[in-house]
């Protein structure tokens, strides 16, 4: 099979030939049709993988090619996705409590094991999600990380239908966050830089748009009644924390983007209105399946650019430069 690998930390992606792996106990071999390029792939490229060479990619969509012994829930030919969640150990304390995404083994597709920048990928059976017929492989792939992170972050935010919910950023995560928030029945505020993005935000389903370069975001959220939840998808700590004062009492700031600088939040802003700041991990295979089913049902779709797998370096460079509109998806066929 063809695979794209990082030979050593910091190296460029290179296309190589490898033997097709065979599934062992509780493993599934998936033939990759599409794999999204995610900002988290920088972890593999820059040296955080468990071993090298390593094939990145944790937004995988394809079909089951073969199953190992002990696998009963997946059938050859079935369409499936694989996300960030690379399987649970089932023995650590979080797993025993049913919190599999917090498994201490920290198995991550494309980081602790080879991922989807390849024609075939192995994964444990509990990492897979069934893809509905209504979604193409290219549509499904980004939902396995960007999608489930937004979907799960919103449904775990404490907000209920009709509540005011803000999404910070309109990029690879944010353009999905606004769509999910609208379809969940929230009154949606999109926050980004530049008035020209307002019409796009409304097309995605935002009821309000705030240009953070010209308004006081917290004051505007407060004027609208205060946000029950804010989903921050950006890498700017200042843009993230600028929303805290606009949360209503007991409102929650959910951080799913990874700012390059530490978050600086006033203790008074938290204490006086009992506000919360929470991080949020992506989700298990079942969470991803919920995301895919919800997207298929409601019409949520990622906006993507496709490239052949051999152009992984180009796709990664576009993503890192912020030029992707809005997710890069590599295809194998």
């Amino acid at each position: 099979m063809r695979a794209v690998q990082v030979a050593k930390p910091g190296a460029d992606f290179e296309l190589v030939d490898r033997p097709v792996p065979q599934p062992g106990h509780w493993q599934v071999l998936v033939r990759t049709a599409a794999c999204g390029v995610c900002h988290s792939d920088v972890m593999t490229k820059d040296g955080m993988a468990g071993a090298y060479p390593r094939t990145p990619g944790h937004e995988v969509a394809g079909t089951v090619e073969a199953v190992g012994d002990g696998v009963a829930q997946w059938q050859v030919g079935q369409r499936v996705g694989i996300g960030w969640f690379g399987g649970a150990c089932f023995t650590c304390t979080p797993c025993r409590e049913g919190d599999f995404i917090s498994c201490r083994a920290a198995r991550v597709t494309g980081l602790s094991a080879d991922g989807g920048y390849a024609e075939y990928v192995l994964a444990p059976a509990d990492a897979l999600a069934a893809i509905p017929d209504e979604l193409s492989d290219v549509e499904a792939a980004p939902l396995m990380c960007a999608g489930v992170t937004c979907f799960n972050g919103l449904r775990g935010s404490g907000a209920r239908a009709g509540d005011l919910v803000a999404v910070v950023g309109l990029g690879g995560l944010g353009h999905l966050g606004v769509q999910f928030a609208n379809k969940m029945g929230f009154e949606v505020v999109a926050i980004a830089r530049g008035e020209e993005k307002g019409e796009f935000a409304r097309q995605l389903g935002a009821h309000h748009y705030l240009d953070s370069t010209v308004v006081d975001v917290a004051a505007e959220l407060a004027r609208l009644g205060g946000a029950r939840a804010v989903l921050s998808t950006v890498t700017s700590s200042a843009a993230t924390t600028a929303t805290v004062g606009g949360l209503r009492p007991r409102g929650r700031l959910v951080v799913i983007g990874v700012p390059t600088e530490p978050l600086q939040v006033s203790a008074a802003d938290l204490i006086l209105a009992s506000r919360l700041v929470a991080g949020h991990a992506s989700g298990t295979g079942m969470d991803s399946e919920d995301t895919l089913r919800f997207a298929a049902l409601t019409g949520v779709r990622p906006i993507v650019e496709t490239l052949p797998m051999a152009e992984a370096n180009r796709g990664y460079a576009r993503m890192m430069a912020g030029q992707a509109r809005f997710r890069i998806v590599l295809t194998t066929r």
Side-chain angles (χ1 to χ4, degrees), residues 215-229:
V215 302
D216 182 323
V217 169
E220 286 299 304
L221 289 176
R223 185 183 63 81
L224 291 169
R228 176 71 69 182

Side-chain angles (χ1 to χ4, degrees), residues 125-164:
D126 59 310
L128 272 59
I131 299 176
D133 292 340
E134 295 85 351
L135 295 174
S136 70
D137 292 321
V138 168
E139 291 170 336
L143 297 177
M144 294 302 302
C145 179
V148 66
T149 304
C150 291
F151 178 78
N152 249 4
L154 287 167
R155 73 171 175 174
S157 68
R160 298 182 295 180
D163 283 342
L164 190 75

Side-chain angles (χ1 to χ4, degrees), residues 225-277:
R228 176 71 69 182
V230 172
L231 184 75
S232 179
T233 71
V234 297
T235 57
S236 166
S237 59
T240 298
T241 55
T243 64
V244 172
L247 288 166
R248 63 185 299 173
R250 303 191 186 279
R252 178 176 300 194
L253 169 61
V254 181
V255 181
I256 60 172
V258 184
T260 54
E261 300 293 333
L263 300 180
Q264 297 187 19
V265 182
S266 163
D269 279 344
L270 298 180
I271 294 169
L272 295 179
S274 300
R275 298 179 176 111
L276 303 172
V277 178

Side-chain angles (χ1 to χ4, degrees), residues 90-261:
F90 301 109
T91 59
C92 69
T93 298
C95 282
R96 293 177 64 200
E97 293 174 341
D99 186 10
F100 301 116
I101 192 61
S102 301
C103 175
R104 290 177 180 167
R107 295 169 181 162
V108 177
T109 310
L111 197 61
S112 56
D114 285 332
Y117 286 25
E119 291 178 321
Y120 294 91
V121 59
L122 272 181
D126 59 310
L128 272 59
I131 299 176
D133 292 340
E134 295 85 351
L135 295 174
S136 70
D137 292 321
V138 168
E139 291 170 336
L143 297 177
M144 294 302 302
C145 179
V148 66
T149 304
C150 291
F151 178 78
N152 249 4
L154 287 167
R155 73 171 175 174
S157 68
R160 298 182 295 180
D163 283 342
L164 190 75
V165 170
V167 177
V168 185
L170 287 174
L173 287 167
H175 89 285
L176 288 168
V178 170
Q179 293 182 70
F180 278 122
N182 174 279
K183 298 302 184 182
M184 289 178 175
F186 304 138
E187 182 181 354
V188 185
V189 183
I191 303 168
R193 295 175 58 86
E195 185 57 38
E196 71 280 0
K197 296 178 182 176
E199 180 56 31
F200 176 60
R202 294 181 181 92
Q203 291 172 4
L204 292 172
H207 302 96
H208 312 275
Y209 176 72
L210 301 180
D211 176 1
S212 62
T213 65
V214 297
V215 302
D216 182 323
V217 169
E220 286 299 304
L221 289 176
R223 185 183 63 81
L224 291 169
R228 176 71 69 182
V230 172
L231 184 75
S232 179
T233 71
V234 297
T235 57
S236 166
S237 59
T240 298
T241 55
T243 64
V244 172
L247 288 166
R248 63 185 299 173
R250 303 191 186 279
R252 178 176 300 194
L253 169 61
V254 181
V255 181
I256 60 172
V258 184
T260 54
E261 300 293 333

Side-chain angles (χ1 to χ4, degrees), residues 13 37-43 45-46 235 312-324 328:
F13 298 124
V37 177
C38 181
H39 191 274
S40 298
D41 293 340
V42 70
M43 300 170 70
K45 197 169 189 303
D46 287 358
T235 57
N313 276 305
R314 178 186 167 199
Y316 180 83
R318 281 186 60 77
M319 179 273 300
M320 290 297 291
Q323 297 172 342
I328 301 289

